[in-house]
Amino acid sequence: MEPKKTENLFTLTTPLYYVNDVPHVGSAYTTMAADAVARFQRLQGKSVLLITGTDEHGQKIERTAESLNRSPQEHCDQIVSSFESLWDKLDIQYDRFSRTTDPRHAEIVKEFFGRVWDQEDIYLSQQQGWYCVACEEFKEERELIDEKYCPIHTNKQVEWRDEQNYFFRLSKYQKQLEALYQERPDFIQPESRRNEVISFVSQGLQDFSISRLNVDWGFPVPVDPNQTIYVWFDALLGYVTALLDPDHEATLENALSKGWPISLHLIGKDILRFHAVYWPAMLMSADIPLPGRIFGHGFLTKDGKKMGKSLGNTLDPVELLRQFGSDAVRYYFLKEIEFGQDGDFNLTRFINTVNADLANDLGNLLNRTLRMVHKYFEGRIPHVSGTAIPEDNPLKSYGVTLGQTVAQGYESLAFSKVCGAILNLVQAGNKYIDEQAPWALYKQEKLDLVESVLYSVLESVRLAAYLLSPITPNLSNGIYHQLGFSIDFNDKTAIEAAATFETHALWGILPPEQVLAEPQPVFLRLELPETVLS
Ligand code: MSP
């Protein structure tokens, strides 16, 4: 099947999250990164489809529901609503929420299985090995900790399995996968994850089982209803089902007609093998074009320690958002952690970083500048044009190329660099206003200079707010409104249609004489909470 390129379309996915428990900060992390990318693409006028959702089948969910005396479906429905509510609080603008219990998904999985079956890529054999239910994955004996614990879920014992299952002929795709990684060096990112995958594949690929006995919660294998389709085989196809329009009949052809191939799969490093090895091979078998790229981010720790309920070291994203709001949370995780590397959350560092960057450097700069403009120029942007400001003005000379630098940063998911580059402009703005001392220039009646200084600073704050809007949309809204604009960065339809990046990412577009709003703090300083977050 030939890839159908739909110009101007950008489709991206988060993983489909397990619903064994309410969402944790790890799920929030992937999702906020995905949302930042989606928002950046929309600023450029791309028609974006952000897919998220839930992975609801398998033994892990079956057992959790049982332990809570709920039916699996009842359990899934409850947990799904907590995901939806968290995404709402985190200002995630997803376009599709794909649930693997959607009846239409069953149709897609069945058809896909049929295609792979017809290729003779599925066969029955004996599966023996150590299984981690929490990962829903077989582990190699040499990977185990103390011979019985999963290396990821270190408090969970693996279970021995010895049963007849259906296998997918992964080994058949070894050469094709190796060629793919060579021909498309950007397929797996960052580089370290690519190397990890290449090294894994070079050791020789083994076929893997795609069905289970004694698991009821899932889809029956179309050719053998005594077996249930393995949760990962089903879940990955949730990305395909998500593309079906609501009134579309559930067929692969319909699902793949728009938005496929996915431009970007965002995942955590623990599920890299499924996405970068198994998934492309499954797609090759079914003759479906491969996704654009797969980016595996790192793991979060809290105060330097692994997070986990049983370890008594968790970070509740709902509580974090309730106390500090979504901009602060999004900014901290995307700025403080290099995307792709592991990173840490520490409450004091969180509060200090956010206060220093957003409340002091950015918020105060706007506030003090606006006050002067109100005092000196009756609340209108000074009568200067960006082009008239000399090229060697330090803010202009940095600002003219910032849009491009930031665009490259967002494209390569280097959120931390993006924030750093924007903050440099803000800090240069603070330095510039202190050095130029427009209040003194005013006293000396050098009004032209006062106008030019205040214009340059306001324009730099505007540019910073615009470029940060994929990460801190509410703060950017506040700044834009104070500057007299009516853009709403949370109105995704309008943002996509307006495609403002070409103009607003430039330095020097602030309209002279535009009426400014009354100065108000745009970002309130965060305070250490009364109760310790856990
Ligand atoms: N259901 C599968 C994905 C199927 S995709 C077709 C799954 N779900 S999950 O809920 O367990 O994990 C979802 C994501 O959360 C993964 O990308 C994982 O890397 C991420 N995280 C889980 N714990 C994490 C941290 N402590 N830190 C950062 N991300 C982590 O896997």
Side-chain angles (χ1 to χ4, degrees):
M1 209 169 139
E2 276 303 300
K4 264 191 219 161
K5 265 268 162 259
T6 322
E7 284 307 321
N8 214 34
L9 206 63
F10 191 93
T11 333
L12 75 165
T13 66
T14 73
L16 305 184
Y17 301 107
Y18 283 132
V19 290
N20 55 308
D21 207 345
V22 292
H24 53 75
V25 75
S27 339
Y29 182 53
T30 327
T31 313
M32 62 182 104
D35 185 66
V37 175
R39 285 174 182 266
F40 162 71
Q41 295 288 342
R42 286 195 202 101
L43 288 178
Q44 295 195 311
K46 288 274 171 61
S47 184
V48 174
L49 209 65
L50 170 55
I51 296 167
T52 188
T54 42
D55 180 357
E56 306 185 16
H57 288 134
Q59 192 151 31
K60 168 152 83 168
I61 311 299
E62 190 174 68
R63 283 189 185 170
T64 311
E66 201 177 271
S67 71
L68 295 166
N69 275 325
R70 294 179 190 150
S71 75
Q73 190 64 59
E74 203 186 338
H75 170 75
C76 293
D77 293 347
Q78 279 194 23
I79 300 284
V80 163
S81 65
S82 61
F83 273 92
E84 287 168 340
S85 137
L86 177 62
W87 299 158
D88 197 36
K89 294 188 175 87
L90 197 53
D91 289 311
I92 305 298
Q93 299 189 318
Y94 58 85
D95 301 282
R96 296 284 161 90
F97 194 103
S98 187
R99 295 185 60 176
T100 57
T101 51
D102 178 345
R104 290 159 18 119
H105 182 56
E107 297 301 311
I108 294 293
V109 173
K110 198 162 144 193
E111 190 184 341
F112 186 91
F113 187 98
R115 281 210 198 176
V116 178
W117 179 265
D118 291 345
Q119 290 302 309
E120 298 180 358
D121 280 347
I122 297 175
Y123 64 95
L124 200 56
S125 184
Q126 195 68 17
Q127 168 78 67
Q128 281 187 327
W130 294 107
Y131 194 70
C132 171
V133 176
C135 290
E136 295 280 14
E137 184 181 18
F138 278 100
K139 302 283 163 183
E140 297 290 330
E141 198 152 322
R142 61 183 151 78
E143 290 179 271
L144 302 180
I145 297 176
D146 292 339
E147 294 177 0
K148 55 179 182 225
Y149 292 98
C150 164
I152 295 174
H153 302 93
T154 46
N155 57 335
K156 300 250 162 71
Q157 285 202 16
V158 290
E159 299 173 20
W160 180 252
R161 294 287 147 82
D162 184 358
E163 60 185 44
Q164 264 219 331
N165 288 154
Y166 287 90
F167 278 70
F168 172 67
R169 233 180 265 286
L170 180 65
S171 54
K172 176 174 154 188
Y173 294 93
Q174 165 113 17
K175 286 224 156 58
Q176 267 172 271
L177 285 171
E178 282 172 338
L180 163 73
Y181 308 142
Q182 292 316 318
E183 282 157 21
R184 289 175 49 189
D186 294 337
F187 183 65
I188 305 166
Q189 291 179 335
E191 185 76 19
S192 55
R193 307 254 182 268
R194 172 173 185 257
N195 294 339
E196 202 181 298
V197 168
I198 291 178
S199 148
F200 169 73
V201 173
S202 73
Q203 289 163 33
L205 288 174
Q206 314 233 326
D207 299 345
F208 70 97
S209 58
I210 56 163
S211 74
R212 296 289 180 266
L213 273 177
N214 308 316
V215 176
D216 293 330
W217 185 234
F219 298 128
V221 169
V223 295
D224 182 351
N226 289 325
Q227 298 249 3
T228 299
I229 291 185
Y230 170 44
V231 58
W232 267 100
F233 193 85
D234 149 0
L236 288 160
L237 288 162
Y239 297 141
V240 175
T241 307
L243 292 170
L244 281 171
D245 277 333
D247 52 352
H248 261 162
E249 194 194 335
T251 63
L252 277 176
E253 195 185 349
N254 281 342
L256 299 170
S257 66
K258 198 173 153 222
W260 194 269
I262 300 290
S263 319
L264 169 67
H265 284 306
L266 267 177
I267 54 164
K269 64 180 181 181
D270 54 328
I271 53 176
L272 183 64
R273 221 173 264 180
F274 290 104
H275 284 81
V277 184
Y278 296 7
W279 181 225
M282 284 163 60
L283 292 169
M284 284 170 181
S285 170
D287 194 22
I288 294 174
L290 306 183
R293 64 179 161 145
I294 298 157
F295 193 105
H297 66 68
F299 255 47
L300 303 176
T301 51
K302 183 168 168 242
D303 303 321
K305 295 194 202 96
K306 191 173 164 163
M307 277 191 254
K309 265 196 180 160
S310 54
L311 304 167
N313 195 40
T314 53
L315 181 61
D316 177 5
V318 175
E319 191 50 25
L320 198 60
L321 287 161
R322 188 186 69 74
Q323 299 208 23
F324 304 112
S326 86
D327 283 351
V329 172
R330 294 165 65 110
Y331 183 77
Y332 176 84
F333 283 107
L334 296 179
K335 184 208 171 199
E336 281 295 290
I337 299 163
E338 195 183 322
F339 202 63
Q341 307 287 323
D342 291 344
D344 190 50
F345 178 87
N346 169 273
L347 188 59
T348 310
R349 203 169 66 241
F350 165 70
I351 291 183
N352 290 345
T353 302
V354 171
N355 281 345
D357 297 359
L358 304 185
N360 296 355
D361 286 352
L362 183 55
N364 284 353
L365 179 61
L366 172 68
N367 201 258
R368 63 202 276 228
T369 314
L370 277 184
R371 282 176 197 285
M372 283 186 258
V373 177
H374 272 274
K375 202 159 141 194
Y376 306 151
F377 303 113
E378 294 168 348
R380 285 175 182 272
I381 291 178
H383 197 83
V384 184
S385 81
T387 42
I389 306 273
E391 300 301 316
D392 62 356
N393 173 305
L395 302 186
K396 180 172 180 177
S397 67
Y398 184 79
V400 286
T401 54
L402 183 63
Q404 221 180 337
T405 310
V406 163
Q408 279 163 4
Y410 277 121
E411 290 290 354
S412 56
L413 312 183
F415 306 111
S416 177
K417 281 206 185 101
V418 162
C419 294
I422 298 170
L423 205 68
N424 282 344
L425 178 65
V426 174
Q427 286 167 347
N430 278 297
K431 184 164 173 264
Y432 178 72
I433 204 165
D434 289 343
E435 282 171 1
Q436 297 296 317
W439 49 92
L441 294 172
Y442 187 76
K443 277 194 191 137
Q444 295 158 18
E445 294 181 11
K446 293 182 177 163
L447 281 190
D448 282 358
L449 277 179
V450 179
E451 286 196 312
S452 146
V453 170
L454 294 184
Y455 181 93
S456 306
V457 174
L458 283 184
E459 172 58 352
S460 301
V461 171
R462 181 207 61 78
L463 181 60
Y466 182 79
L467 296 174
L468 267 185
S469 69
I471 297 174
T472 57
N474 304 302
L475 171 61
S476 300
N477 269 344
I479 295 177
Y480 254 61
H481 294 163
Q482 298 244 315
L483 290 173
F485 291 96
S486 56
I487 292 181
D488 177 0
F489 291 107
N490 284 321
D491 182 346
K492 69 175 178 180
T493 315
I495 287 290
E496 202 170 284
T500 47
F501 199 83
E502 269 186 24
T503 46
H504 282 240
L506 299 174
W507 195 95
I509 64 118
L510 201 56
E513 302 286 329
Q514 179 156 288
V515 178
L516 300 165
E518 277 302 314
Q520 268 171 13
V522 278
F523 192 90
L524 295 178
R525 287 179 65 80
L526 308 183
E527 301 294 341
L528 258 177
E530 336 72 66
T531 51
V532 177
L533 273 165
S534 69

